[in-house]
Amino acid sequence: MNRNKIIFSISFIVVLGLSYFLINNYIDNQYTNRLPAVPNLSETSIPFQKHITNVNAKTLNKPTVSNLGELGMVYHANNYFEEAEACYLLAIERAPKEWIWSYYLGCLKRELSDSVNAIEYFSNVLEIQPNLYLAQYYKGEAYKQIGETAKFEEILRSLSGMDKKYFVLNETKRTSYFPLPVYARLELAKLYASSGKVKLAENQLKTLISNEISFGPAYRQLSIIYAEKGDKELSKYYSDRSKDLVDYTSPADPLLDKLSYHSRTENYLLKQIEDAIRTSNLPWALELVDFSLKNDPESKYIVSKAIRLYISMDMARRAIPYLDKHMEAFKDDYGEIIDVGVGLSNSGLKNAAKKYFLLAEKSKNEKPETKSRLAGMFFDRLGMKEKGLELMNELLEQYPNDPAVIGGATFLSLQTGDVVKANKYLSRLKKLDSKNPRINIFNGIIAKNAGDTKGAITYYKRAFKDTPDQAFIINYISDYYRNNKMWVELARLYETSLKFSPNNPHMQEAYGTFLINCPDKKIRNPKQAKEFSQRALINYRSDVQTQVAAGQSLAMSYFQLNERGKALYYINKTIRVAKDARFPREHIASLEDMSREFQRIMNSNL
């Protein structure tokens, strides 16, 4: 009896297991039979062909929800939208409560401007996950596209009123981004402006930039509003302010970022890398570059992007394994070769830079002016003096009457200290092109080297009128004015330079610092000093030295304007930046002294 029970139990288990297997196999077949056929991949890269074939095979073997969804992501990230949609729909059918696939399908429909279906899928997401606010934002955008502006406004009002602390991104390598309510307020302002509520839009944007001083799109929108009102001065002001800043065109979306890991398409990956660099998300750009090099190593444009990023992040040595491939791929692209060569030179990799400059020299199609600059690079950047002079002599033989070449020869002679030859070439340049703006520069250099300060300043002032963006000219004139206590003239110099180059962070910082520290107290202007120091501080082109100097002047400006809390905030922030950048101890100590003095005065007024 016991034996029969055992046999029955075993048989029951076997039958149950077999039934389970057959049922599961039948269900799996319902999904594998509906998988999209792999499209013709003959014109795609080998890495992509291997990747999509492997993921497709894995899904055919085991069509789980995650495998179906992953295959959809692969198609999505490589612009096979029909196939992606089919896979996402199968994943949704198999697990209706897993909102992620509805989210990706909603994003796909959004890319295709299919707003009606985008609304449907984002609504599905929000039924399951009501706190997924990006889905709500995208749903609002879709309502706008189909003309449902009342629903769009309702969503924007809801999002813009939320505390931004709920929008800190944890699962991302992005370090530079704005929270979603900032974008909601921007879109709300645009909606007000388009419906004729211009004053409401203006107030909304001014409130926004008072809270988010580095949000470039808000300044740009204000510029548009004032242009439409006919106020050219304010329009230009806000346009200039917007150009100081990064253009954050859309909210950061960690879920969409994950698509990048499924892409093997050069154009898609390059776009993601460029977006990460443009928005100052360098750690994320670095990860994308490393991923792209691994998965599409034959793309010369990805190699180029990687080398340039490594150089910009002071990691130029990581570029060395890719330099030979890069030079071979771009040997006929003079601009690319020179740009990378200069970057390598700036990074101290002189031997690598030498190879690039020698390759650039072989170019047959460049203008004499371009080759003339190359001669100066050999001389100045690589210390290859004989090579620089040899190339310049060849150019002089080929183009004896070209003003650009004669100008290059003049400058090279000044670099070598051969004033006689420099004057000979300068005389020839005056005959060939008497209005050439470099003439005053060369005369200024010659006078300066001869110790003729008054002569040098006369020529440099003339040169400044023609080329007000030359840093060494501005520095020489500003030092002259400062040493001679010519404060009014120095103020005009800064103002003129900023009219020509309004987004130059070094000039913004210099002017802000001057306005808060000028020995002539009549010229001091803490309000203007605050503005220019703030602009320099948040300007995306600012290096760390500029940021620290601007931060100190900004703190002083706030203090003089009796905004003591902000003064303390910015001086302490500046101290942190200086410490992170390993500024000299004496400099940090002086900043800390300032912070203590601010705190002491604040405490004494309590």
Side-chain angles (χ1 to χ4, degrees), residues 223-486:
S223 174
I224 293 169
I225 287 175
Y226 285 119
E228 290 174 351
K229 290 172 68 174
D231 192 332
K232 293 181 181 179
E233 187 176 341
L234 273 178
S235 178
K236 184 183 185 308
Y237 169 77
Y238 282 108
S239 176
D240 288 345
R241 290 295 304 258
S242 73
K243 291 171 187 174
D244 286 344
L245 306 167
V246 170
D247 184 17
Y248 292 85
T249 54
S250 58
D253 188 339
L255 293 174
L256 281 182
D257 284 347
K258 289 181 180 179
L259 284 176
S260 300
Y261 297 118
H262 296 278
S263 180
R264 301 296 184 273
T265 303
E266 177 185 78
N267 288 341
Y268 182 92
L269 290 169
L270 284 170
K271 183 177 181 299
Q272 304 311 308
I273 294 167
E274 286 166 4
D275 177 72
I277 293 171
R278 179 183 56 78
T279 56
S280 301
N281 283 289
L282 297 185
W284 172 230
L286 188 62
E287 177 146 328
L288 286 171
V289 155
D290 291 343
F291 170 84
S292 301
L293 285 172
K294 179 180 178 183
N295 291 287
D296 194 2
E298 299 308 312
S299 168
K300 70 177 190 177
Y301 296 108
I302 285 174
V303 169
S304 168
K305 193 67 69 177
I307 290 172
R308 287 169 176 270
L309 183 64
Y310 291 149
I311 289 171
S312 71
M313 294 182 69
D314 295 327
M315 303 164 64
R317 291 197 172 278
R318 287 182 63 169
I320 290 174
Y322 307 101
L323 296 182
D324 288 341
K325 181 186 289 187
H326 179 264
M327 283 192 290
E328 178 60 29
F330 289 96
K331 60 187 177 184
D332 297 322
D333 188 335
Y334 184 89
E336 175 77 11
I337 293 298
I338 284 295
D339 283 350
V340 172
V342 169
L344 293 169
S345 172
N346 291 340
S347 300
L349 298 179
K350 300 297 182 183
N351 288 334
K354 178 180 176 181
K355 292 179 182 178
Y356 273 82
F357 291 143
L358 289 172
L359 180 60
E361 185 188 6
K362 295 178 182 177
S363 177
K364 303 295 184 184
N365 302 317
E366 293 309 309
K367 295 178 181 178
E369 179 182 2
T370 307
K371 284 293 187 73
S372 174
R373 286 197 293 268
L374 180 61
M377 289 178 188
F378 278 121
F379 186 95
D380 186 44
R381 289 183 171 275
L382 300 178
M384 298 174 67
K385 299 184 179 181
E386 291 183 7
K387 180 67 181 175
L389 292 169
E390 177 189 327
L391 178 56
M392 184 57 73
N393 287 332
E394 289 176 8
L395 291 169
L396 285 166
E397 287 181 14
Q398 294 177 50
Y399 310 99
N401 296 314
D402 189 302
V405 173
I406 304 304
T410 307
F411 188 62
L412 196 59
S413 298
L414 289 171
Q415 286 181 294
T416 63
D418 192 338
V419 179
V420 173
K421 190 175 283 189
N423 276 311
K424 182 184 80 169
Y425 289 132
L426 184 55
S427 296
R428 194 190 306 180
L429 180 60
K430 289 175 182 177
K431 291 177 182 178
L432 291 169
D433 184 9
S434 61
K435 294 183 179 180
N436 193 303
R438 299 177 78 186
I439 292 173
N440 283 316
I441 295 175
F442 294 144
N443 276 325
I445 294 172
I446 291 170
K448 173 177 171 286
N449 291 345
D452 181 4
T453 303
K454 288 187 177 180
I457 201 67
T458 299
Y459 285 119
Y460 278 157
K461 283 164 73 174
R462 291 175 188 169
F464 177 72
K465 289 180 180 179
D466 295 325
T467 54
D469 61 338
Q470 293 289 326
F472 79 95
I473 294 175
I474 295 169
N475 290 339
Y476 186 87
I477 298 174
S478 62
D479 285 345
Y480 177 82
Y481 286 154
R482 195 174 288 107
N483 292 335
N484 289 278
K485 299 180 172 44
M486 300 168 68

